[in-house]
Amino acid sequence: MRVLVIGGGIGGLAAARELGQAGHEVLVLEGTDRVGGKVRLGSVAGITVDVGAEAMLNRRPEATGLARAVGLDLVHPATVASRIWTRDALRPLPRSVMGIPADLDQLAATGVLDDAGMARVRAEQVLPLEARDVPVADFVGARLGHQVVDRIVEPMLGGVYAGHAAELSARATIPQVLALLEKSPSLLAAASAVPAPSEVPVFAGLAGGIGQLPAAIVDAGGFTVRTDAMVRELRRTPSGFEAVVGPTTAAELITADQVVLAVPAPAASRLLSGVAPVATLELAAIEYASMAIVTLAFPADELAGLEGSGFLVPPVDGRRVKAATFSSRKWGWVGEAGRSAGGLVVLRTSLGRHREEAALQASDTELVQQSLADLALATGLGTSVRPVDAHVQRWGGGLPQYAVGHLDRVARIRQAVAQVPGLAVCGAAYDGIGIPAVIASAHRAVADLGTSR
């Protein structure tokens, strides 16, 4: 069986590996000059760091299992003490279940909410779970008030989706919160009953960066990869599929028995226009957010006062960055690399939210300056501290938005795709945007192909 995997991100590579191990002839076509998608390494001041995803959930097996299977050793954060930059101060991140406070006394002590906000939380409205999907802001706000949404839930969602709580689906983005209502009609009571974090680390990384994972999957073998191979059209044939690859002046036709489409929703929509038109319409409705990662290297002695692993920023505070990671403190391997590079520390900021692309039209130099200005205000280190080097990574249309009704949309997409024998889809647009969720979608795509033979 010859299988064509269109898209060389983590989802496509995971699907290709599984198919190759099952004995199929697998070809991955990647339209850019490298595999890995949003998992990528870059360099700042000679230090190799992640400039895309920098961690994966350790409590799910898909990503950590794949990393081990291709010979990579996992590491865990040296510190996970994150904070929230809100109300003009860096405040401890309250213990919560995706923003639902698990300890009201601790929440009050952080000062994240003002007195009115705390009073509203304590006066929780106990409401039944809605039968229909609703925005996160409506679900949480109706029960605990807008301050919990604005200053805790919103920055958490912003860090993951670069989206807005008023638009993101509660069922798709905070299912663990909805599940709390199965244990108690009170969100607060259910959240407070959730056990405190165990000694098992929540996150894992790789010494040298998560960005090593794509190449390691390819090097492990079992399939062939072609980069700079943009697929312009996908056609159904009597015996399978035909992909049109490359420029119109030198188009190449590649045939396959089966296809896994592992590209973002807009590209999938375009390629399925003549194959699965219902899926095309549904995929076209999935919007994306753009963002940028600014990585900065500083002399270590100038940033000696940094504490914790970084901070989140609520949009309501009107800052330019939405998060900052103190990489040299969070990851031991980054700290060691900085010391070996002459005594440097590495920080990174994240900028950009859904429908705020205009803010990213600034030059790289301007994004660096904006990051430095906010870091100076947040940390109190002053504007005189300057980086020795900076790296700006832009991710245009990088993060799918799970709008209200997303789960139903994904079900309709998969139902339409299932009508085409030998076709499956996977990627961040479907079941979650974290690395483990994307790999899980790849496993599902392979299983879907198996049922269509």
Side-chain angles (χ1 to χ4, degrees):
M1 185 78 68
R2 189 178 198 212
V3 185
L4 188 63
V5 177
I6 303 176
I10 286 296
L13 296 178
R17 173 178 166 79
E18 186 173 349
L19 288 163
Q21 288 181 320
H24 300 295
E25 178 190 351
V26 184
L27 173 63
V28 176
L29 297 178
E30 167 57 39
T32 69
D33 62 354
R34 69 182 78 189
V35 297
K38 309 303 181 296
V39 181
R40 182 180 296 186
L41 296 174
S43 178
V44 60
I47 303 170
T48 299
V49 292
D50 287 307
V51 294
E54 52 125 26
M56 50 193 173
L57 281 174
N58 187 50
R59 296 176 181 176
R60 286 189 62 160
E62 297 92 348
T64 55
L66 179 56
R68 290 190 182 99
V70 296
L72 298 174
D73 295 326
L74 300 175
V75 296
H76 302 289
T79 177
V80 292
S82 187
R83 292 179 286 180
I84 294 181
W85 182 27
T86 189
R87 301 178 63 213
D88 297 319
L90 281 176
R91 304 174 185 277
L93 182 65
R95 187 166 76 88
S96 72
V97 178
M98 279 303 296
I100 305 305
D103 186 329
L104 292 188
D105 290 339
Q106 185 217 28
L107 174 62
T110 66
V112 169
L113 308 187
D114 63 19
D115 290 344
M118 282 302 308
R120 176 64 181 85
V121 173
R122 295 184 189 279
E124 174 191 9
Q125 298 296 305
V126 177
L127 302 170
L129 179 63
E130 293 88 341
R132 60 188 178 88
D133 195 11
V134 297
V136 172
D138 291 359
F139 177 85
V140 177
R143 291 165 171 80
L144 301 176
H146 69 86
Q147 283 200 36
V148 167
V149 175
D150 290 345
R151 301 194 183 276
I152 306 178
V153 177
E154 191 83 76
M156 287 185 169
L157 289 176
V160 177
Y161 296 94
H164 300 280
E167 299 178 353
L168 291 171
S169 157
R171 292 187 181 277
T173 63
I174 55 168
Q176 58 272 66
V177 172
L178 274 62
L180 292 176
L181 293 183
E182 298 176 2
K183 302 175 181 178
S184 168
S186 164
L187 276 182
L188 293 178
S192 64
V194 173
S198 69
E199 294 183 0
V200 178
V202 176
F203 296 104
L206 300 173
I210 291 283
Q212 299 170 99
L213 183 57
I217 298 172
V218 174
D219 290 345
F223 57 94
T224 302
V225 174
R226 283 180 53 185
T227 55
D228 292 315
M230 179 63 68
V231 178
R232 293 192 295 105
E233 187 178 353
L234 182 65
R235 303 168 183 162
R236 194 80 171 94
T237 69
S239 59
F241 298 89
E242 183 178 73
V244 181
V245 183
T248 55
T249 55
E252 178 185 1
L253 298 181
I254 297 178
T255 60
D257 301 299
Q258 297 182 327
V259 169
V260 175
L261 207 52
V263 293
S269 176
R270 173 177 58 81
L271 291 173
L272 291 178
S273 61
V275 177
V278 172
T280 284
L281 295 174
E282 295 288 358
L283 285 160
I286 299 176
E287 297 184 9
Y288 277 69
S290 297
M291 61 174 297
I293 299 292
V294 177
T295 306
L296 306 160
F298 297 88
D301 56 359
E302 295 190 6
L303 295 184
L306 287 181
E307 297 180 358
S309 61
F311 57 84
L312 301 173
V313 187
V316 71
D317 285 295
R319 308 301 183 181
R320 286 154 291 193
V321 304
K322 64 185 179 71
T325 302
F326 303 159
S327 304
S328 290
R329 289 190 54 83
K330 182 175 181 179
W331 300 105
W333 67 268
V334 179
E336 180 57 36
R339 287 187 289 272
S340 299
L344 299 176
V345 295
V346 176
L347 282 68
R348 76 179 209 167
T349 65
S350 173
L351 303 92
R353 291 183 175 86
H354 185 217
R355 299 203 183 111
E356 296 177 6
E357 285 76 14
L360 297 179
Q361 310 235 336
S363 68
D364 287 1
T365 298
E366 290 170 325
L367 292 183
V368 169
Q369 291 172 343
Q370 291 171 10
S371 296
L372 291 173
D374 276 356
L375 285 169
L377 286 173
T379 63
L381 294 174
T383 57
S384 62
V385 178
R386 310 305 296 174
V388 299
D389 194 15
H391 179 283
V392 177
Q393 179 66 54
R394 296 172 184 267
W395 295 111
L399 294 173
Q401 299 299 290
Y402 288 10
V404 172
H406 180 78
L407 297 183
D408 290 337
R409 171 166 287 119
V410 169
R412 293 192 295 270
I413 292 169
R414 285 199 167 114
Q415 182 178 29
V417 168
Q419 302 305 308
V420 184
L423 179 67
V425 294
C426 68
Y430 305 100
D431 309 306
I433 67 176
I435 296 175
V438 171
I439 294 172
S441 80
H443 294 329
R444 176 165 181 166
V446 172
D448 289 344
L449 286 184
T451 62
S452 63
R453 292 179 186 172

